Structure formats: C-alpha cells, structure tokens
Amino acid sequence: MKKFIYLMLLACPLIIASCGDDDLDSNSIFDTSAIKRTDFDNWLLENYSKP
C-alpha cells in the first residue's frame, strides 16, 4: 500500500505539469491550395466518389 501511495505522490506532479498551454502558430502543415484535376481525376470523382 505504501508503494502505491508513493507512486501516486510521484505521478501527480507529472500529470499536473503536463497540462500546460502550448502556443500554436497559424501555419498549417496541410496544403490548402486548389487541386489541379485531370480528366481522369474528374471521371473517378464522378463515377466512384459520388454515388
């Protein structure tokens, strides 16, 4: 039982410290530019993606 109490006393500060605020920038890793589609891409979109 003492081991469990010691483990909890050690784990609580780590859990509390891990809940910090992160400063996020507005840069995205995903490309948001328009996609250039070919005729084949349009055909696939119409015949397989859209029911």
Side-chain angles (χ1 to χ4, degrees):
M1 185 67 177
K2 282 187 177 183
K3 289 182 183 179
F4 179 73
I5 293 172
Y6 291 137
L7 180 63
M8 293 307 289
L9 287 175
L10 289 173
C12 285
L14 292 175
I15 293 170
I16 292 170
S18 68
C19 298
D21 291 332
D22 292 334
D23 294 330
L24 301 177
D25 56 1
S26 62
N27 297 333
S28 175
I29 61 170
F30 300 107
D31 186 19
T32 58
S33 62
I35 299 172
K36 293 183 181 179
R37 291 193 173 115
T38 63
D39 290 335
F40 181 68
D41 292 331
N42 291 330
W43 182 83
L44 282 175
L45 183 66
E46 290 296 322
N47 292 310
Y48 286 99
S49 296
K50 296 179 182 176

